[in-house]
Amino acid sequence: MATTMQQRMLDAMLPADLAAEPERWQQRKSVRTRVRLVEAAIDCLVEEGYSGLTTQKVAERTGSSRGAMHHHFATRMDLAAAVVEHVFYRRMQAFLDDYLSAVAGARDEALFEISTEAYWRSVQTRDYAAYVELAVAARSDSDLERVFLPAAQRFDAVWISEMIESFPQWQARWETMKLVSDFVVTAHMGLMLNLPVIGAKRAALVRRLVARVVALLHAEAAAGILDLEENNPTGL
Amino acid sequence: MATTMQQRMLDAMLPADLAAEPERWQQRKSVRTRVRLVEAAIDCLVEEGYSGLTTQKVAERTGSSRGAMHHHFATRMDLAAAVVEHVFYRRMQAFLDDYLSAVAGARDEALFEISTEAYWRSVQTRDYAAYVELAVAARSDSDLERVFLPAAQRFDAVWISEMIESFPQWQARWETMKLVSDFVVTAHMGLMLNLPVIGAKRAALVRRLVARVVALLHAEAAAGILDLEENNPTGL
DNA sequence: AAAGAAACCGGCAAGGGTGCCTGTTTTCAC
DNA sequence: GTGAAAACAGGCACCCTTGCCGGTTTCTTT
């Protein structure tokens, strides 16, 4: 079942690049260099920011010519769009691999904790750094936003709907699950960006606080105490 | 007393630009155009990102010439450094104004809640958007990082130390106060950046959760229950 | 008022980036 | 095997940005 879910989520985020399995040698070669270019572009993105993601540097990194670059990606934005798709796909892939191997044989009560830790690990990856760069650049580049936002929302939709599908036992507390997910995603992004300023020590404390909030929500939701739609001064 | 604290915090973050009160007309004029240039630079930063912060556009925006630009800021990085200082100063200023007017005559128990709300408001400002842009750009631009990180850490140090100074009644729970502050800063940054993806509705839920966590920490810390240095499975 | 300093102006060369375009080589179809 | 098509190479023109420089105007000093 787990692999089914994994495959379904990955398929939903599959970049157009990799959609069809190529048969002819030419197509294989094409896909290979496209992937190489996108991969180099992600390196640029992480090392030099979105404005450092330039067609020249990418071509140079891969050793291919600017002509080849232009053949696969006519404009810089075409390349950026491919990068967006790949980054989301790889983030999904890496998280699922990590999470599913960590969750193997775990108790139900530990699931939230395990996934929180897996998410924090995923935040520390190169692909997440690229994601942050794109997310911030999209705030002030409407062309990029047109590519980024739909992809981000699709990622979110897949994430939420599969979470719901995977935990039928939480049926009555789906709203809580979504809230926990949003909370974890939100807090960890802020944590990553503030890490250089507040330092590792204080970041670890915040991280523990986040984990405890998640655990508390887990317990309260399991007991059905928490009503998120109303203002209950007694609850959390 | 409140104004004393406010003045002390602002002084600690005062940009070198505005340090000395100018007497001669020439100096006044100089300061005025410097500020105009920095202000225009912040506009560029917010509207087009750090890479859009260009000496040409800034000069054009203010109506002054590139020569004047170069007279006040020899290089692009000089301008960026001035922008960093101004952004932190203005953030501090705006938050203090908002917070101190909101806190006037409030009960002690409501302080955390009031400051959390004030912080969220501060996150929605233009200066905070500029701050985010700088913080992310500094991750991949070591020249900018050399200017940004010290300023950010100074802001943090002033923030924390003044918070401690202002709440002597919390003496025994300063660690909790710092944690609450870090948590609020962290969560709200992540919330702001995820807002376009998750939407206003879910963001509001997360925001309420954050507020409740703060309230809970407030109550627990006031009761002296929470021991942050050890692993207490009973507490939060 | 005259000399000097500070604020301001506009142009120059160099470098880098983008998009496009003409060829060349490799692979595919018939 | 031959023509078509796809992958790849490298050059050209245009634009933007940067840093700097000589020249001009506006204060300030004495």
Side-chain angles (χ1 to χ4, degrees):
Chain A
M1 294 304 123
T3 57
T4 304
M5 173 195 79
Q6 185 178 16
Q7 204 51 56
R8 206 168 37 199
M9 294 178 80
L10 284 175
D11 285 350
M13 298 303 299
L14 194 65
D17 285 323
L18 315 170
E21 189 57 33
E23 299 146 6
R24 336 204 183 296
W25 194 5
Q26 216 169 37
Q27 289 180 19
R28 282 181 176 239
K29 195 177 181 186
S30 175
V31 169
R32 209 188 320 141
T33 55
R34 275 182 76 96
V35 169
R36 260 177 48 219
L37 288 169
V38 169
E39 221 55 47
I42 294 178
D43 287 338
C44 280
L45 199 52
V46 173
E47 293 172 21
E48 310 184 47
Y50 182 69
S51 63
L53 169 45
T54 161
T55 58
Q56 274 192 171
K57 283 178 192 156
V58 169
E60 189 184 353
R61 259 175 204 264
T62 63
S64 39
S65 66
R66 278 188 33 77
M69 171 94 250
H70 185 264
H71 174 72
H72 290 284
F73 303 101
T75 86
R76 178 187 129 107
M77 189 48 72
D78 289 336
L79 175 60
V83 167
V84 167
E85 293 215 321
H86 277 252
V87 164
F88 278 110
Y89 181 72
R90 291 169 54 95
R91 277 190 63 204
M92 184 72 87
Q93 194 177 39
F95 174 81
L96 287 176
D97 281 354
D98 184 355
Y99 171 70
L100 289 176
S101 74
V103 86
R107 309 184 318 278
D108 188 59
E109 306 89 59
L111 283 185
F112 277 26
E113 192 183 342
I114 288 174
S115 54
T116 303
E117 285 174 5
Y119 194 80
W120 171 243
R121 283 192 296 275
S122 83
V123 164
Q124 294 170 294
T125 61
R126 181 189 76 133
D127 290 319
Y128 191 85
Y131 163 70
V132 169
E133 218 65 48
L134 292 168
V136 173
R139 288 161 54 96
S140 48
D141 182 331
S142 54
D143 287 335
L144 179 60
E145 187 187 27
R146 265 190 287 280
V147 176
F148 176 83
L149 245 196
Q153 284 166 347
R154 189 153 50 93
F155 185 91
D156 179 68
V158 169
W159 184 273
I160 296 286
S161 76
E162 287 292 339
M163 198 170 62
I164 286 178
E165 196 126 352
S166 309
F167 296 96
Q169 68 273 32
W170 283 81
Q171 187 177 346
R173 283 89 64 185
W174 281 338
E175 290 305 313
T176 302
M177 286 189 60
K178 280 167 66 174
L179 178 60
V180 170
S181 171
D182 288 344
F183 176 69
V184 168
V185 168
T186 287
H188 283 146
M189 171 171 264
L191 198 49
M192 172 53 71
L193 286 173
N194 276 295
L195 195 51
V197 179
I198 69 176
K201 202 164 182 175
R202 280 157 65 187
L205 287 177
V206 174
R207 214 147 60 71
R208 213 174 86 197
L209 174 57
V210 170
R212 288 192 181 181
V213 171
V214 169
L216 187 57
L217 281 173
H218 183 283
E220 294 238 334
I225 295 170
L226 203 62
D227 182 359
L228 289 164
E229 297 308 319
E230 299 174 21
N231 207 339
N232 59 336
T234 61
L236 172 64
Chain B
M1 295 306 121
T3 57
T4 304
M5 172 194 80
Q6 185 178 16
Q7 203 51 56
R8 207 169 35 199
M9 294 179 81
L10 285 175
D11 285 349
M13 296 305 299
L14 194 65
D17 284 324
L18 315 171
E21 190 58 33
E23 299 146 7
R24 340 210 176 292
W25 194 3
Q26 216 169 36
Q27 288 180 20
R28 280 179 177 244
K29 195 176 180 187
S30 176
V31 170
R32 210 187 319 142
T33 55
R34 274 182 79 94
V35 170
R36 260 177 50 217
L37 288 168
V38 169
E39 220 55 47
I42 294 177
D43 287 339
C44 279
L45 198 52
V46 172
E47 292 172 22
E48 310 184 47
Y50 182 69
S51 63
L53 168 47
T54 162
T55 57
Q56 273 193 172
K57 283 178 192 158
V58 170
E60 190 185 351
R61 259 175 203 264
T62 63
S64 39
S65 68
R66 281 189 27 77
M69 171 95 249
H70 185 265
H71 174 72
H72 289 284
F73 303 101
T75 84
R76 178 186 128 107
M77 189 49 72
D78 289 336
L79 174 61
V83 167
V84 167
E85 293 215 321
H86 277 253
V87 163
F88 278 111
Y89 181 72
R90 290 169 54 93
R91 276 190 64 204
M92 186 71 86
Q93 194 176 37
F95 174 80
L96 287 176
D97 281 355
D98 184 353
Y99 171 70
L100 289 176
S101 73
V103 88
R107 307 185 320 278
D108 188 59
E109 306 89 58
L111 284 185
F112 276 27
E113 192 182 341
I114 287 174
S115 53
T116 303
E117 285 174 7
Y119 194 81
W120 172 242
R121 282 192 296 274
S122 84
V123 165
Q124 295 171 294
T125 61
R126 181 189 78 135
D127 290 317
Y128 192 85
Y131 162 71
V132 169
E133 218 66 49
L134 292 168
V136 173
R139 287 162 56 95
S140 48
D141 182 331
S142 53
D143 289 333
L144 179 60
E145 188 187 26
R146 266 189 287 279
V147 177
F148 176 82
L149 245 196
Q153 284 166 348
R154 191 152 49 93
F155 185 91
D156 180 67
V158 169
W159 185 271
I160 296 287
S161 76
E162 287 292 338
M163 195 168 65
I164 285 177
E165 196 125 353
S166 310
F167 295 95
Q169 68 273 33
W170 283 80
Q171 187 177 346
R173 284 89 65 182
W174 281 339
E175 290 306 313
T176 303
M177 284 189 60
K178 280 167 66 175
L179 178 61
V180 170
S181 171
D182 287 344
F183 176 69
V184 168
V185 167
T186 287
H188 282 143
M189 171 171 264
L191 197 49
M192 172 52 70
L193 286 173
N194 276 296
L195 194 52
V197 178
I198 69 176
K201 202 163 182 176
R202 280 158 65 187
L205 287 176
V206 175
R207 215 147 60 71
R208 213 173 86 197
L209 174 57
V210 170
R212 288 194 180 180
V213 170
V214 169
L216 187 58
L217 281 172
H218 183 284
E220 295 238 335
I225 294 171
L226 202 62
D227 182 0
L228 289 164
E229 296 308 320
E230 299 173 21
N231 208 339
N232 59 334
T234 60
L236 172 64

